[in-house]
Amino acid sequence: MNLVKFELDKIFRNKFLLVALLFLLLINGFNIWKDYSIRAEWEKEYYSHKKTFYELLKGDITAEKVKWLTEQNDYADKLLSGIESDTSKLITDNAYVDFNISNEYIDEIRRLYNYNDEVKTMKEKNEIQFDFSQEHTNTFLANCAKKIDTTYMQRNISGIYNYSQLEEYLDYSFTEFFIIIILLLAFSPVFATEYETGMYLCFMSSVGGRKKVASAKLAVISIFTFIVTFLFSVFDTVIFTLCLKLDGFSSPIYALSSYKFTPLICSIGEYIVLLFVVRLIGFLILSVFVSLLSSVLKNSYITFIVSIITMFFLMALEVYGKNEVGIFSSLNPIKLIVGSDLFSKFGVVNLFNIPVFNYVVSILLGLICFIVLCLFVIKVNNKNQRSKKI
Amino acid sequence: MIKQELYKLCIKRKFLLVMVFVFSVEFLLFFYSSQNIKFEDKASQIKYQHYMDLFSGAITPEKRSEIEKLIENDEQIILEMAEKEKKYIEREINDEQYVELLNKYSDYKEGYNGYVAFIETYNYAVENGNELIDSKPWDLLFNNESIDFLLVILITMSAIFLYISDLENGVELITVTTENGKMRKDFTQVVICIFIAAFSTIVVDIGKYIIIDLVYGLKNPDLKLSNIEIFSESSYDLSLIQAYLITCFIKLFGSIYLVVLTCFTGIYLKNSLLTGFTSIITVLMPNYILSEREYKYLIPLPSAFLTANGYLFGDMIYTEIMFKKITPLKLLLVFGISVTIIITASIKVIRRNKL
């Protein structure tokens, strides 16, 4: 425990790292604010009008709300076509804006209503597939059909919220880039410094100098990775909430259009927590990989360069090989770090004729990868020190 | 002394090996990406090339009428097919007739992507009053607004391997007591770093030009810059080759700026990792944070010059954001500030050990 404390202290005494962390946090905040808050004057005005409508509509979709919205839309339409001249009932003092915004919300309500129909159609098709699979004794397909049925059972969206803004928040992936940079800076020297400064000679002769130091370092790597990921995630959420006034966290995740066929049955708030955990696993794999490189290359700068090139390579692999399915694709930590792709669609892996969700396989593989890498780090450091001793 | 320092860097610290490796990866990646501009199917490539050979150059009334005829013919065939499909759905024609029809049109559809791409190029040329050219190889050569990340790494590595590592591992304490170990050594090291940065940039730029010329053929180098889509609003009266040379020169300046700035940062940080991190962040951040805006070209940092292309852009709407042209006056101002920084930083680096 003392070793962990000491190693943690070493990281927190690194002023450059802390300054870089603070700098990147601020840059990230600025980036979000710039992209989602600085808008042209007409846009600002439009959004403020939209907010007035939103305040009247948010929450459960009721027959009264739908009736009011359609009436408002008809009224604005009549004003625009010159049939009506009394403007007293307008919400925004501008018939054109009223018409456009009410149309947007009508479309949104239609989308939410249609979701239930879409799921119904999908389930009907699925039943046909189930019968077909049973007839042709294809156990896997039959099991898949069963899984689809249980996954999409009893789904409906009852509330209207600013889903598009929640999607913007969930789609924002620049934070991951900042976290990767900080982790590379923090962990490139983690083992290499001991070799650069000759400290490994001391470890060799001390009681806790072999596996214990490596294990303590790995514990610190995990703790620091958690802290950095947590800090950036909280900072992201706060800035986004301030910029976009997010709400509707209790709505089901499938209310978001890009997640309409997600296999998950949880609220948006719960999904954010799940995404954090999955990303954390991805970052842990990455951190341990960097520390493994640090042990092997024994030079902080070279480790940093090799790691950064590897990261870009993995990112390119994730972008260009998005449609590739297979064990190597699942092992890419960037897949877990980006996260959302794992949950947005229904995807299964055939495991002895039992369909297992892609995200479950990826998370399990990620955890196994993390443990294997940890063992490698301990083994490499033990071996390095033993060979020096000889 | 130059010889000894070069020997130390290239052989002892294995930078030559790193350089060869980076160049190989760089050219391999570029070669791979140059394959992407070709069509997936050979028939489309042949068709596209065939039309380009027939019609490239100034769009004369004869060429225009021939191309319009092609478009008309295509529209007619598409309409005809849609009608037949409708008839098939309504069961007015039977399966055999439909299969026969499909076979007939499949011949026409062979290499259809090539035809579509050609018509798109033609429409763009007509809209902008340009000549009809195959701009894809030039687009790839200019590579929009991306920074050559491998080149950035190579440049910072040269400064770190030669200059910063001496500061980091305490070699300087010995060299500073020798006759040539003060200003002369620092001067030589900085000159070598600048030379390597310039050499690497030139090699990469020339290499890319040769690769794309061999793979695809860079035709019409004398055509106006506005023939390329990213420069469509450019007000500069430059040919494509002139524009490429100018961007290469700006990149060269950016590389020299980056290497001097890395050496300068190294004096204070005295750590390879931290210096490397700072340099890479200085290059990457402005590009990511101020993407799609002209501001990134107005910040007097290496990232602006390493991107280079934006200095030749005109006023344009770039994914809903207004990109305002960098006027020659603004360019001169940024260039002037950067030159001042380079000179000050170089003097600081060289005169550091002046006794």
Side-chain angles (χ1 to χ4, degrees):
Chain A
M1 198 61 202
N2 273 344
L3 268 175
V4 175
K5 218 171 142 188
F6 173 71
E7 289 292 339
L8 205 60
D9 196 42
K10 246 165 62 174
I11 284 203
F12 282 109
R13 274 172 191 269
N14 186 345
K15 278 182 195 157
F16 188 92
L17 179 66
L18 297 182
V19 170
L21 178 63
L22 192 70
F23 173 73
L24 291 185
L25 266 174
L26 291 175
I27 288 280
N28 189 34
F30 169 75
N31 197 40
I32 299 170
W33 176 75
K34 171 189 74 91
D35 282 354
Y36 299 102
S37 190
I38 306 174
R39 296 181 194 272
E41 275 308 310
W42 69 267
E43 247 183 315
K44 272 185 196 167
E45 212 181 314
Y46 187 77
Y47 275 97
S48 76
H49 290 321
K50 204 173 168 184
K51 205 182 152 197
T52 320
F53 264 85
Y54 177 66
E55 290 302 329
L56 293 164
L57 288 169
K58 80 170 177 185
D60 285 347
I61 307 167
T62 58
E64 290 81 45
K65 280 181 189 173
V66 176
K67 195 184 163 207
W68 174 80
L69 193 64
T70 353
E71 278 174 5
Q72 206 61 33
N73 185 263
D74 288 344
Y75 171 65
D77 192 21
K78 277 177 188 166
L79 275 172
L80 286 173
S81 47
I83 301 168
E84 185 85 49
S85 57
D86 174 29
T87 55
S88 60
K89 284 184 197 165
L90 279 177
I91 304 289
T92 66
D93 299 333
N94 185 328
Y96 183 71
V97 177
D98 258 43
F99 180 72
N100 273 339
I101 295 176
S102 53
N103 254 347
E104 269 185 46
Y105 278 110
I106 287 172
D107 285 345
E108 177 67 0
I109 290 175
R110 199 171 287 145
R111 181 183 75 82
L112 299 178
Y113 268 133
N114 284 348
Y115 178 78
N116 302 336
D117 293 337
E118 269 185 79
V119 172
K120 206 175 152 189
T121 319
M122 197 186 74
K123 275 160 75 178
E124 278 167 7
K125 274 185 192 170
N126 188 48
E127 272 165 28
I128 298 166
Q129 196 194 335
F130 181 71
D131 295 339
F132 176 84
S133 310
Q134 277 203 327
E135 272 171 32
H136 292 78
T137 60
N138 189 331
T139 328
F140 175 66
L141 278 182
N143 286 340
C144 275
K146 215 188 238 175
K147 197 152 188 104
I148 291 171
D149 201 45
T150 46
T151 309
Y152 296 100
M153 213 166 50
Q154 289 173 338
R155 279 193 179 193
N156 68 61
I157 307 164
S158 57
I160 184 162
Y161 290 99
N162 266 334
Y163 293 124
S164 59
Q165 301 194 336
L166 277 164
E167 273 190 79
E168 279 186 278
Y169 160 65
L170 288 172
D171 283 347
Y172 182 76
S173 57
F174 211 61
T175 313
E176 282 82 73
F177 174 69
F178 287 109
I179 300 176
I180 289 175
I181 286 185
I182 282 293
L183 296 180
L184 294 192
L185 179 69
F187 304 133
S188 295
V190 77
F191 285 101
T193 323
E194 312 298 355
Y195 293 96
E196 282 170 347
T197 56
M199 278 299 285
Y200 72 94
L201 290 169
C202 298
F203 294 147
M204 277 164 58
S205 56
S206 64
V207 183
R210 289 188 185 186
K211 283 181 186 170
K212 278 188 182 172
V213 172
S215 310
K217 278 184 192 287
L218 285 173
V220 168
I221 285 168
S222 309
I223 294 168
F224 190 73
T225 306
F226 173 80
I227 293 171
V228 172
T229 315
F230 183 74
L231 255 178
F232 271 97
S233 304
V234 169
F235 200 70
D236 255 20
T237 314
V238 171
I239 302 275
F240 264 104
T241 312
L242 288 175
C243 286
L244 297 178
K245 307 270 181 291
L246 299 178
D247 58 3
F249 288 103
S250 56
S251 305
I253 181 69
Y254 46 81
L256 307 177
S257 59
S258 50
Y259 289 86
K260 63 178 179 181
F261 291 128
T262 176
L264 294 175
I265 309 162
C266 63
S267 69
I268 295 169
E270 286 162 347
Y271 174 69
I272 290 167
V273 177
L274 176 70
L275 205 58
F276 169 77
V277 175
V278 172
R279 280 179 180 165
L280 182 65
I281 296 170
F283 286 126
L284 282 172
I285 297 171
L286 207 140
S287 302
V288 181
F289 175 72
V290 175
S291 69
L292 180 66
L293 281 180
S294 181
S295 319
V296 175
L297 298 170
K298 297 176 182 140
N299 181 309
S300 315
Y301 177 64
I302 303 286
T303 306
F304 179 70
I305 294 295
V306 174
S307 310
I308 209 161
I309 291 174
T310 315
M311 286 315 115
F312 273 93
F313 175 71
L314 289 175
M315 279 178 201
L317 215 64
E318 175 58 19
V319 173
Y320 295 114
K322 221 169 195 173
N323 301 324
E324 300 282 322
V325 185
I327 196 150
F328 290 110
S329 164
S330 300
L331 278 173
N332 189 348
I334 302 295
K335 204 174 207 61
L336 291 172
I337 289 169
V338 175
S340 50
D341 278 351
L342 280 175
F343 302 107
S344 55
K345 285 173 200 155
F346 182 93
V348 286
V349 173
N350 185 351
L351 208 76
F352 307 112
N353 280 338
I354 302 164
V356 182
F357 285 127
N358 274 347
Y359 70 87
V360 177
V361 176
S362 288
I363 292 171
L364 282 175
L365 278 177
L367 285 170
I368 293 168
C369 191
F370 172 67
I371 294 165
V372 170
L373 280 171
C374 283
L375 292 174
F376 258 114
V377 171
I378 294 172
K379 196 171 164 57
V380 166
N381 279 285
N382 208 19
K383 194 180 163 193
N384 281 344
Q385 287 164 9
R386 230 183 294 169
S387 63
K388 292 284 172 194
K389 203 178 175 183
I390 291 159
Chain B
M1 195 162 194
I2 290 181
K3 212 175 151 188
Q4 286 146 348
E5 289 293 340
L6 269 176
Y7 176 75
K8 185 171 84 181
L9 175 70
C10 296
I11 311 296
K12 284 282 173 191
R13 287 179 181 162
K14 298 182 181 77
F15 186 71
L16 193 65
L17 211 69
V18 175
M19 235 163 124
V20 171
F21 174 74
V22 170
F23 284 151
S24 316
V25 174
E26 174 89 47
F27 292 138
L28 267 174
L29 285 177
F30 190 72
F31 178 75
Y32 178 72
S33 61
S34 75
Q35 296 298 308
N36 288 349
I37 63 170
K38 285 187 177 175
F39 292 90
E40 276 178 14
D41 58 321
K42 214 175 174 184
S44 296
Q45 182 64 37
I46 292 169
K47 204 165 213 174
Y48 180 77
Q49 210 54 54
H50 168 71
Y51 286 133
M52 273 298 169
D53 291 341
L54 271 178
F55 300 112
S56 67
I59 304 170
T60 56
E62 292 81 40
K63 279 184 189 175
R64 188 185 283 256
S65 75
E66 273 188 59
I67 297 170
E68 294 299 334
K69 254 185 215 167
L70 265 177
I71 297 172
E72 220 170 275
N73 185 39
D74 176 67
E75 280 170 353
Q76 215 172 339
I77 290 171
I78 299 278
L79 205 74
E80 204 179 311
M81 189 161 176
E83 268 175 29
K84 293 271 167 74
E85 260 185 8
K86 202 179 161 192
K87 276 185 183 172
Y88 174 69
I89 292 164
E90 288 165 0
R91 291 284 162 201
E92 282 178 30
I93 56 172
N94 59 28
D95 287 357
E96 273 172 24
Q97 280 172 312
Y98 185 65
V99 170
E100 203 177 302
L101 190 80
L102 283 180
N103 288 337
K104 186 186 157 191
Y105 286 116
S106 71
D107 290 340
Y108 177 73
K109 284 279 177 185
E110 203 180 340
Y112 192 70
N113 288 341
Y115 164 78
V116 173
F118 168 74
I119 296 300
E120 278 172 9
T121 318
Y122 165 75
N123 286 337
Y124 173 75
V126 170
E127 271 170 32
N128 294 282
N130 292 334
E131 291 190 21
L132 186 61
I133 62 156
D134 181 9
S135 63
K136 278 196 248 168
W138 286 102
D139 284 333
L140 185 71
L141 191 65
F142 281 106
N143 207 4
N144 209 353
E145 287 192 89
S146 60
I147 280 188
D148 195 333
F149 187 64
L150 279 174
L151 186 67
V152 169
I153 287 182
L154 187 72
I155 290 167
T156 52
M157 268 181 125
S158 71
I160 285 166
F161 275 26
L162 185 65
Y163 188 72
I164 319 293
S165 59
D166 275 3
L167 294 175
E168 192 182 19
N169 55 32
V171 172
E172 210 192 30
L173 289 172
I174 303 165
T175 55
V176 84
T177 57
T178 61
E179 196 182 341
N180 293 328
K182 299 179 192 80
M183 260 176 75
R184 197 172 163 204
K185 189 204 93 185
D186 289 339
F187 178 75
T188 315
Q189 286 184 335
V190 171
V191 167
I192 290 173
C193 288
I194 290 175
F195 170 75
I196 288 172
F199 173 76
S200 310
T201 315
I202 292 168
V203 166
V204 167
D205 285 337
I206 293 177
K208 282 182 177 177
Y209 188 93
I210 293 171
I211 288 173
I212 198 99
D213 197 26
L214 288 175
V215 173
Y216 212 90
L218 280 165
K219 290 165 193 162
N220 311 308
D222 300 324
L223 277 182
K224 272 192 174 181
L225 182 63
S226 55
N227 282 291
I228 302 286
E229 204 170 342
I230 56 163
F231 296 113
S232 57
E233 303 298 325
S234 178
S235 55
Y236 295 103
D237 189 21
L238 296 167
S239 69
L240 289 171
I241 192 74
Q242 281 170 337
Y244 184 64
L245 287 173
I246 289 172
T247 54
C248 287
F249 172 75
I250 298 173
K251 280 181 195 167
L252 183 71
F253 177 75
S255 303
I256 293 169
Y257 190 4
L258 177 66
V259 86
V260 172
L261 212 64
T262 309
C263 290
F264 179 72
T265 324
I267 299 174
Y268 297 99
L269 295 173
K270 287 191 173 65
N271 182 307
S272 303
L273 173 65
L274 304 187
T275 312
F277 174 81
T278 315
S279 299
I280 289 172
I281 286 288
T282 315
V283 173
L284 288 184
M285 279 307 140
N287 248 45
Y288 279 116
I289 301 297
L290 302 169
S291 58
E292 299 162 358
R293 292 260 178 175
E294 74 277 13
Y295 306 134
K296 67 178 171 188
Y297 294 104
L298 297 173
I299 299 175
L301 282 176
S303 60
F305 301 105
L306 287 166
T307 320
N309 289 348
Y311 289 112
L312 300 180
F313 287 171
D315 286 339
M316 58 180 178
I317 303 285
Y318 197 37
T319 54
E320 294 177 3
I321 295 164
M322 185 72 190
F323 183 100
K324 279 186 187 159
K325 179 193 166 185
I326 316 284
T327 57
L329 187 73
K330 282 181 188 168
L331 172 62
L332 271 177
L333 194 72
V334 179
F335 194 71
I337 297 170
S338 305
V339 169
T340 317
I341 296 173
I342 291 177
I343 293 170
T344 319
S346 307
I347 291 171
K348 179 77 189 161
V349 171
I350 294 162
R351 289 172 68 91
R352 193 171 46 91
N353 284 322
K354 191 183 175 235
L355 293 174

